[in-house]
């Protein structure tokens, strides 16, 4: 096992900048997820760790070793590809043990090892099959087995679950979590699925347009997202964000927007600075809203737009203005009868504030 | 009801029309179904009575005819080996290497190969081959075909290789394989179907070609079947039909077999891109 | 810094070299050589065989001013004949018939589809000398299958190769080459999602309306590709030689046969090369047009 360090990494493809001046440190034994929308540079970042792309500038270190110019074969890494890259002309045993073959191990030794890893991943009985003859979930585990068959310093995962259907993906996710607990490997995992990142990572690096915008443990990112981008990317449904006019009045912050009633909030120097421009973004997560009943500190009112009962919970969507909607996640398994104009309540502790530049403004207790 | 009747009617009409066109296409070939088996075959259509293989016997006893089929085989296989070897390496490089200007190379090749057609290049090719002293050799036919077919072969194969995910070789390298190992262990087996396509295409092209060997070869013992077939004429210049028909059938068999093999393995559509 | 790639530039160059040598020697060198020879009076025998004189544009001038107008046997005649040959056999014959067949094949039972497809493709894949001979037998005046059928139908028989040589090679080339257009259009039609046609069915469209309003517009790009390719091929095709040898009286002497006769029967290599250069220029125009169309249709790939 080893740590991975990115030092001021920039990667350009022609005029397109995939990664801009990236610094990233992954500690030994950590499971780091690179999370972001497509085109944010997360896969390029992973491929630079693997050596499949060469950075335009900057250094990559594995442990203390500068591997920036080292060929992938000499990096002591393992990688699981999005399309699995299982060789169609080899059976499972040969596929899984290919890394051992290039190291010159005998056929018997290789196949025994492939069988051992295969058994752990519940594909041990399929060793004679060809990749085309097994299911998608089994293919996924075969590619995982090939990565695990040799000890490596870092394990890289490029959206390994994105080709599975929803149920298999949940299974596989649980399995990966179990594996990480068992083996304690250093892993870097690329995904655009925030739930996957939340479930698996010890730390998440949220990426946007070639930069890391927030790098922290999952719950830290959930509770204190660094920017409006992070707030709207992590959490499902995403955080409700409302653009407000802001001013300081009598030592308190006053936020105003159509349909929004916010209690006066205590002022910190950071809030004062952010409010100086007269605009702020107010945020509250859907699961922190309830039907206003008098117990709330603030309210948001809007026309009822949709009311979806999902079983254990209901998603209620209000149209606050003509083109701004917000969603509440209400934990009830009863049908909800709501009036045309509905009011939702929230508590002051669940309010997130962002400055005009989209950056989080810490509250009093942060 | 009326609507369905109409649909049914047009369907029958289309089917009849399609079958009719198929039959018209078949007409010029029907004669070939019978003449080789008719010991008294003439240019007219006649059902063999008795049905006999004696024409084939005559062909097999004709050393010159057999020699010509062998020559066709030598030239086709030689050309195919050159094309497959050079095109596989080159198109892999065009698809995967960091060679600068490889896109331009493909376009220039394609341009040259379509501009320098057989009819335009027959004069310089003849003069060139004479100059290097290869006139009347198998090698000349093999090389000229290889050069002429390569650009298209490379284009077909490069397209095929471009369609194969790079993650195959990438995963091999991450697993510790050198570029050479990745090429032989992983890339080559995966692109084999594409190579088969090119091999079949090149073989059918060389096997059936007339002009190039007609120009480049002189002596009877080097003629391929496509040229030799014209020697089955009597002194008076009339064709010896029995011999010709049987020989033409024998000569067509490899092409038909390959065609059946390809349509069985890859489906009809495959041929769409392959004959130039 | 050295960039990672699956195959280094040096290895790539090594991989390219066998193909480079073969193509260089047998495609690119002839290209320049033919231009050079076309400016000489090189012949097979005689004093100009080894030490040809440089005659500049003499060969070209002769091509275009033969003094005999455009009678058979002249370059002008062959050029015009070839243009007509391309127009009738490729653009009208192969493309239209191929389009019709491809459309019909979408909607007929599998057995009929298999039969017709096999026949059309058979005409295309059999070796050209075999085809030439089959047609020779087919068209024979006394015993040929065609006249036999006409007799049976009570229609007048004809000595086709003698009386209508041009139309024979037109029909012959249409027959020979329709397969390519048919397969290209067939796969183009097959790549259209069936739901497009089902939606039209639901809207009550006839087969003709579906062809005109959905099928044809969606394969327009393939039509252009097809027309350019078959034009180029037909322009250079030598196969009619196997049926008519350019005759009778030079009436079917298309450019490729003309080149062959001038160079290898009259042994006037200089003049033959000049024809070759003209053919190449025409090919070049088609090829550039084709590449331009192809580039316009496929969006540029990532530079990496």
């Amino acid at each position: 096992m080893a740590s991975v360090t990115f030092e001021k990494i920039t990667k350009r493809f022609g005029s397109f900048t995939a990664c801009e001046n990236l610094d990233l440190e992954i500690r030994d034994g950590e499971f780091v997820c690179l999370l972001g929308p497509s085109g944010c540079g997360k896969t390029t970042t992973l491929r630079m760790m693997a050596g499949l792309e060469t950075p335009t500038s900057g250094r990559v270190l594995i442990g203390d070793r500068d591997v920036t110019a080292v060929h992938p074969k000499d990096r002591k890494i393992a990688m699981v590809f999005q399309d699995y890259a299982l060789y169609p002309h080899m059976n499972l045993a040969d596929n899984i043990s290919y890394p051992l073959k290039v190291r010159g191990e005998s056929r018997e030794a290789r196949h025994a090892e492939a069988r051992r890893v295969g058994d752990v991943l519940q594909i041990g009985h399929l060793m004679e099959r060809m990749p085309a003859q097994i299911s998608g979930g089994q293919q996924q585990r075969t590619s995982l087995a090939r990565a695990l068959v040799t000890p490596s310093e870092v394990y890289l995962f490029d959206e390994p679950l994105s080709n599975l259907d929803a149920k298999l993906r949940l299974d596989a996710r649980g399995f990966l979590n179990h594996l990480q607990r068992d083996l304690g490997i250093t892993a870097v995992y690329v995904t655009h699925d925030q739930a996957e990142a939340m479930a698996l990572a010890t730390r998440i690096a949220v990426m946007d347009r070639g930069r890391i915008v927030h790098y922290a443990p999952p719950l830290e990112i959930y509770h204190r997202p660094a920017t409006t981008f992070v707030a709207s990317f992590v959490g499902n449904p995403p955080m409700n964000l409302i653009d407000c006019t802001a001013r300081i009045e009598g030592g308190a912050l006053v936020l105003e927007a159509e349909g929004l009633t916010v209690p006066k909030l205590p002022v910190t120097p950071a809030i004062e600075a952010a409010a100086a421009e007269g605009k702020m973004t107010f945020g509250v997560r859907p699961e922190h809203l309830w039907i206003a009943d008098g117990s709330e500190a603030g309210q948001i009112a809007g026309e009822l737009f949709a009311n979806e009962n999902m079983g254990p919970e209901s998603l209620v969507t209000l149209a606050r203005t003509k083109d701004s909607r917000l969603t509440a996640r209400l934990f009830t398994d009863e049908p909800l009868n709501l009036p045309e104009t509905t009011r939702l309540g929230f508590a002051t502790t669940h309010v997130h504030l962002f400055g005009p530049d989209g950056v989080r403004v810490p509250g009093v207790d942060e | 009801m009326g609507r369905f009747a109409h649909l049914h009617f047009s369907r029958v009409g289309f089917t009849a029309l399609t079958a009719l066109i198929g039959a018209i296409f078949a007409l010029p070939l029907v004669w070939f179904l019978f003449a080789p088996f008719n010991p008294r075959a003439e240019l007219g259509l006649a059902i063999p009575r008795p049905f006999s293989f004696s024409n084939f016997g005559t062909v097999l006893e004709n050393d010159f005819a057999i020699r010509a089929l062998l020559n066709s085989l030598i030239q086709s296989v030689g050309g195919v080996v050159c094309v497959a070897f050079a095109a596989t390496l080159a198109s892999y490089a065009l698809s995967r290497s960091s060679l600068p200007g490889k896109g331009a190379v493909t376009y220039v090749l394609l341009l040259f190969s379509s501009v320098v057609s057989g009819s335009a290049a027959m004069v310089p090719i003849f003069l060139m081959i004479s100059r290097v002293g290869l006139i009347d050799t198998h090698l000349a036919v093999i090389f000229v075909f290889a050069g002429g077919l390569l650009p298209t072969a490379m284009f077909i194969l490069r397209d095929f290789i471009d369609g194969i995910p790079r993650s195959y070789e990438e995963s091999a390298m991450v697993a510790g394989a050198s570029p050479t190992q990745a090429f032989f262990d992983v890339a080559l087996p995966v692109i084999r179907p594409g190579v088969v396509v090119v091999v079949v295409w090149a073989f059918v092209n060389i096997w059936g070609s007339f002009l190039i060997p007609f120009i480049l070869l002189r002596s009877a013992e080097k003629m391929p079947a496509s040229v030799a077939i014209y020697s089955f004429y009597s002194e008076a210049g009339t064709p010896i039909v029995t011999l010709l028909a049987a020989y033409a059938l024998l000569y067509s068999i490899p092409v038909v077999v390959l065609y059946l093999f390809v349509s069985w393995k890859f489906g009809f559509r495959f041929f769409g891109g392959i004959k130039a | 810094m050295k960039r990672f790639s699956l195959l280094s530039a040096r290895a790539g160059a090594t991989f390219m070299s066998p193909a480079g040598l073969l193509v260089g020697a047998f495609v690119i060198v002839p290209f320049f050589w033919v231009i050079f020879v076309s400016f000489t009076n090189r012949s097979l025998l005689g004093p100009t065989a080894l030490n040809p004189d440089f005659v500049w544009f003499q060969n070209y001038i002769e091509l275009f001013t033969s003094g005999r107008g455009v009678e058979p046997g002249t370059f002008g005649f062959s050029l015009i004949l070839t243009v007509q040959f391309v127009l009738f056999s490729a653009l009208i014959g192969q493309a239209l018939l191929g389009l019709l067949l491809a459309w019909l094949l979408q909607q007929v039972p599998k057995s009929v589809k298999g039969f017709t497809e096999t026949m059309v493709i058979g005409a295309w894949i059999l070796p050209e000398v075999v085809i030439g001979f089959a047609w020779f037998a087919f068209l024979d005046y006394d015993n040929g299958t065609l006249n036999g059928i006409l007799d049976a139908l009570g229609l007048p028989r004809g000595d086709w190769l003698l009386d209508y040589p041009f139309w024979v090679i037109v029909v012959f080339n249409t027959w020979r080459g329709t397969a390519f257009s048919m397969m290209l259009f067939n796969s183009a039609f097959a790549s259209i999602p069936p739901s497009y046609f089902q939606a039209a069915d639901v809207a009550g469209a006839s087969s003709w309306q579906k062809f005109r309003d959905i099928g044809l517009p969606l394969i327009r790009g393939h039509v252009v590709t097809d027309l350019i390719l078959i034009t180029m091929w037909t322009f250079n095709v030598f196969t009619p030689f196997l049926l008519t040898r350019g005759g009778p009286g030079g009436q079917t002497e298309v450019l490729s046969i003309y080149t062959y006769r001038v160079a290898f029967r009259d042994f006037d290599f200089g003049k033959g090369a000049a024809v070759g250069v003209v053919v190449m220029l025409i090919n070049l125009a088609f090829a550039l047009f084709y590449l331009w169309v192809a580039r316009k249709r496929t969006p540029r790939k990532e530079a990496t």
Side-chain angles (χ1 to χ4, degrees):
Chain A
M1 296 304 133
S3 61
V4 179
T5 313
F6 266 34
E7 282 180 10
K8 304 217 173 314
I9 290 286
T10 297
K11 176 66 181 176
R12 293 197 182 86
F13 295 103
S15 60
F16 174 73
T17 304
C19 295
E20 178 89 54
N21 210 15
L22 220 64
D23 280 310
L24 178 67
E25 205 212 323
I26 293 155
R27 292 189 286 262
D28 193 0
E30 254 194 314
F31 197 116
V32 169
C33 282
L34 303 179
L35 175 67
S38 59
C40 72
K42 56 191 192 299
T43 293
T44 304
T45 304
L46 190 81
R47 289 170 61 83
M48 286 192 285
M49 288 180 196
L52 298 172
E53 303 288 354
T54 312
T56 311
S57 66
R59 295 207 304 162
V60 183
L61 294 103
I62 295 179
D64 297 326
R65 193 160 63 111
D66 183 342
V67 296
T68 318
V70 174
H71 192 275
K73 74 183 162 71
D74 302 319
R75 290 199 177 193
K76 293 194 194 126
I77 49 165
M79 183 162 172
V80 178
F81 288 78
Q82 182 173 13
D83 61 5
Y84 314 144
L86 299 178
Y87 312 132
H89 57 289
M90 297 185 192
N91 67 19
L92 260 56
D94 284 329
N95 257 296
I96 293 172
S97 66
Y98 185 70
L100 301 172
K101 186 187 172 194
V102 294
R103 282 167 182 73
E105 288 197 25
S106 75
R107 199 180 146 82
E108 293 75 42
R110 290 194 282 128
H111 282 198
E113 194 59 18
R115 180 67 197 240
R116 187 187 63 78
V117 179
D119 280 336
V120 175
L121 292 160
Q122 292 154 16
I123 46 171
H125 59 293
L126 302 169
M127 286 298 125
E128 299 305 315
R129 300 267 192 99
M130 302 306 267
Q133 298 169 323
I134 57 176
S135 73
Q138 289 164 340
Q139 288 176 354
Q140 201 278 325
R141 274 177 278 155
T142 307
S143 72
L144 194 57
R146 188 171 62 192
L148 294 173
V149 78
T150 45
S152 300
E153 306 210 306
V154 188
Y155 293 80
L156 306 176
F157 299 88
D158 185 8
E159 309 212 22
L161 308 185
S162 60
N163 285 348
L164 297 177
D165 60 41
K167 189 187 168 307
L168 273 176
R169 196 170 341 169
L170 278 187
D171 286 350
R173 195 175 84 189
F175 196 85
L176 277 175
N177 187 296
H178 171 78
L179 216 61
Q180 161 67 0
R181 288 162 163 279
D182 241 28
L183 304 174
I185 54 176
T186 307
V188 185
Y189 187 105
V190 163
T191 181
H192 62 263
D193 178 350
Q194 57 91 26
E196 227 168 86
M198 294 294 286
L200 291 170
T202 54
R203 277 199 286 176
I204 298 176
V206 183
M207 294 188 67
D208 180 26
R209 282 168 290 177
R211 295 165 189 273
I212 293 175
V213 285
H214 199 172
Y215 185 34
L219 287 178
E220 170 74 18
I221 286 183
Y222 175 77
H223 287 301
R224 281 177 285 278
T227 65
T228 48
F229 173 80
V230 179
S232 59
F233 203 81
V234 175
N236 184 30
M239 183 185 284
N240 297 304
L241 296 171
I242 298 173
D243 291 330
C244 305
T245 58
R247 63 179 192 277
I248 308 291
E249 208 173 85
L253 174 66
V254 178
L255 292 176
E256 282 175 350
E258 191 180 335
L260 178 68
T261 321
V262 195
K264 290 189 175 156
L265 296 165
V267 172
T268 64
I271 290 179
E272 199 166 346
E277 288 184 45
K279 277 187 191 157
M280 285 181 86
T281 301
F282 162 96
V284 60
R285 291 204 177 271
E287 48 272 41
H288 296 148
L289 291 169
W290 63 86
I291 305 290
D293 55 4
S295 66
E296 67 273 4
Q299 279 189 356
I300 312 172
E303 299 292 311
L304 187 62
F305 181 80
N307 181 357
E308 303 157 275
N309 190 288
M310 324 289 288
E313 65 187 32
S314 276
L315 291 184
V316 172
T317 308
L318 299 187
R320 184 178 59 88
T321 67
K322 210 170 71 190
D323 38 34
S324 164
R325 298 199 187 109
L326 71 154
T327 302
R329 199 170 157 198
L330 305 171
F331 297 90
T332 169
D333 52 7
E334 300 286 324
L336 277 173
N337 267 318
L338 295 172
E340 272 310 300
T341 301
T342 296
R343 295 174 172 284
L344 298 168
F346 57 87
T348 319
T349 47
H350 288 138
V351 170
H352 301 256
L353 292 177
F354 301 92
D357 52 358
V359 174
R360 179 179 192 83
V361 180
V364 182
D365 48 350
E366 284 178 37
Chain B
M1 237 348 254
R3 180 74 180 282
F4 279 117
H6 170 73
L7 277 177
H8 189 69
F9 176 75
S10 70
R11 225 186 144 73
V12 170
F14 285 158
T15 306
L17 180 59
T18 309
L20 182 69
I21 296 175
I24 291 173
F25 265 84
L27 277 184
L29 295 174
V30 174
W31 178 81
F32 250 120
L33 231 48
F34 301 118
F37 306 101
N38 189 345
R40 280 166 298 158
E42 288 173 359
L43 292 176
L45 191 58
I47 292 173
R49 248 178 242 135
F51 192 88
S52 141
F53 286 97
S54 67
N55 292 344
F56 294 98
T58 321
V59 170
L60 294 177
E61 281 163 19
N62 187 327
D63 288 343
F64 172 68
I66 299 304
R67 178 72 221 177
L69 283 174
L70 195 66
N71 288 337
S72 283
L73 196 66
I74 292 170
Q75 289 159 15
S76 304
V77 171
V80 162
V81 169
C82 285
V83 169
F85 173 75
T88 304
L89 290 180
S91 39
Y92 189 73
L94 285 177
S95 175
R96 299 292 206 245
S97 83
S98 51
L99 203 61
K102 56 187 185 164
V105 168
T106 317
Y107 271 104
V108 168
L109 277 182
L110 210 62
L111 200 64
F112 266 106
S113 74
S114 26
V115 169
V116 185
S117 62
S119 61
M122 60 179 130
V123 173
I125 283 178
F126 174 82
L127 295 177
M128 241 178 67
I129 295 293
S130 314
R131 173 69 61 91
V132 295
L134 283 176
I135 277 291
D136 201 25
T137 60
H138 289 308
L139 221 50
V141 177
I142 288 171
F143 282 157
V144 168
F145 272 123
L149 296 177
L150 258 173
T152 315
M154 282 160 68
F155 198 68
I156 297 172
L157 254 185
R158 196 208 61 169
D159 245 23
F160 186 86
I161 298 173
D162 278 348
I164 289 170
R166 290 163 166 259
S167 58
Y168 283 128
E169 292 110 300
E170 288 174 352
S171 72
M173 289 187 186
V174 168
S178 67
T180 325
Q181 278 173 317
F183 177 71
F184 284 106
D185 289 351
V186 177
L188 207 51
V190 174
I191 64 181
R192 203 168 43 199
V195 178
V196 170
V197 168
V198 166
V199 162
V200 171
W201 168 78
F203 187 92
V204 170
N205 262 287
I206 304 177
W207 183 265
S209 270
F210 170 79
L211 181 61
I212 296 291
F214 186 55
I215 292 174
L216 295 181
L217 300 175
R218 300 248 177 81
S219 52
E221 66 267 23
K222 298 203 179 83
M223 293 292 176
S226 58
V227 182
I229 207 165
Y230 283 94
S231 58
F232 295 132
Y233 284 74
S234 69
E235 298 294 322
T238 48
I240 308 165
V241 175
T242 47
L243 212 61
L244 253 165
Y247 193 59
L249 190 68
L250 283 179
Y251 170 55
S252 303
I253 284 173
V255 174
V256 173
V257 167
L258 279 176
Y259 168 71
L260 289 176
F261 165 74
V262 163
S263 59
W264 161 70
K265 186 132 190 179
F266 303 95
F268 268 108
R269 212 151 290 145
F270 149 78
F271 263 101
I274 73 150
K275 207 183 142 185
Chain C
M1 189 182 297
K2 196 166 147 283
R3 272 189 52 207
F4 172 79
S5 65
L6 290 173
L7 200 65
S8 67
R10 180 182 296 178
T14 313
F15 274 37
M16 287 291 292
S17 53
L21 279 175
L22 281 166
V23 175
F26 297 100
V27 178
I28 295 174
V29 169
F31 173 79
F32 292 105
W33 201 323
V34 74
I35 295 172
F36 166 73
V37 174
S38 74
F39 292 115
T40 71
N41 61 353
R42 174 128 191 197
S43 60
L44 184 71
L45 300 166
T48 52
L50 287 175
N51 292 308
D53 297 324
F54 218 65
V55 297
W56 295 105
F57 288 93
Q58 188 61 39
N59 290 319
Y60 294 93
I61 294 166
E62 275 176 28
L63 285 185
F64 288 100
T65 57
S66 68
R68 283 186 288 152
V70 286
E71 291 161 31
T74 64
F75 173 76
F77 176 82
S78 287
L79 186 61
I80 294 168
L81 183 79
T82 308
V83 170
Q84 291 171 330
F85 178 62
V86 167
L87 180 71
F88 288 113
S89 75
L91 299 181
I92 295 177
Q94 294 180 6
L96 271 188
L97 192 55
L99 193 59
L100 172 70
L101 274 169
W103 183 250
L104 288 175
L105 289 178
Q106 303 296 315
Q107 39 200 340
V108 301
K110 248 201 153 70
S111 55
V112 174
K113 179 176 151 87
F115 166 73
T116 302
E117 228 170 17
T118 307
M119 289 308 137
V120 176
I121 294 172
W124 188 55
I125 58 151
L126 287 171
E128 54 187 352
V129 289
V130 172
I131 293 301
F133 192 66
W135 271 72
F136 183 72
F138 179 64
L139 296 173
D140 184 66
Y141 180 75
D142 295 317
N143 300 309
T145 311
L146 181 58
N147 279 341
I149 293 170
L150 291 175
D151 282 349
L153 294 173
L155 294 167
R157 48 172 52 217
D159 199 346
W160 309 105
L161 280 169
L162 223 60
D163 298 337
Y164 310 98
F166 174 71
W167 294 107
V168 164
I169 63 167
V170 164
V171 172
F172 171 75
N173 193 52
T174 302
W175 179 86
R176 170 84 170 154
T178 296
F180 177 81
S181 302
M182 177 190 81
M183 285 189 287
L184 187 83
F185 294 143
N186 202 356
S187 67
F189 282 135
S191 68
I192 299 174
S195 61
Y196 289 19
F197 293 117
Q198 287 156 4
D201 279 336
V202 172
S206 69
S207 184
W208 164 245
Q209 285 168 325
K210 281 189 285 180
F211 174 77
R212 189 192 58 196
D213 299 336
I214 302 166
L216 199 54
L218 286 175
I219 66 158
R220 215 170 35 205
H222 293 87
V223 173
V224 176
T225 304
D226 180 71
L227 291 182
I228 301 170
L229 287 178
I230 61 175
T231 300
M232 279 178 75
W233 293 338
T234 304
F235 200 83
N236 289 279
V237 77
F238 190 70
T239 317
F241 178 83
L242 301 169
L243 192 55
T244 66
R245 306 233 152 203
Q251 286 183 68
T252 58
E253 199 170 71
V254 290
L255 275 179
S256 56
I257 301 178
Y258 178 79
T259 316
Y260 170 77
R261 178 174 62 79
V262 168
F264 294 98
R265 285 287 161 267
D266 306 345
F267 300 116
D268 192 343
F269 287 129
K271 198 170 162 194
V275 184
V277 171
V278 174
V279 170
M280 288 200 312
L281 283 177
I282 296 168
N283 285 345
L284 184 68
F286 282 122
L288 287 175
F289 182 56
Y290 175 60
L291 287 181
W292 177 72
V293 170
R295 276 192 100 112
K296 234 176 50 164
R297 271 180 52 200
T298 45
R300 265 178 66 102
K301 282 183 194 160
E302 191 71 32
T304 49

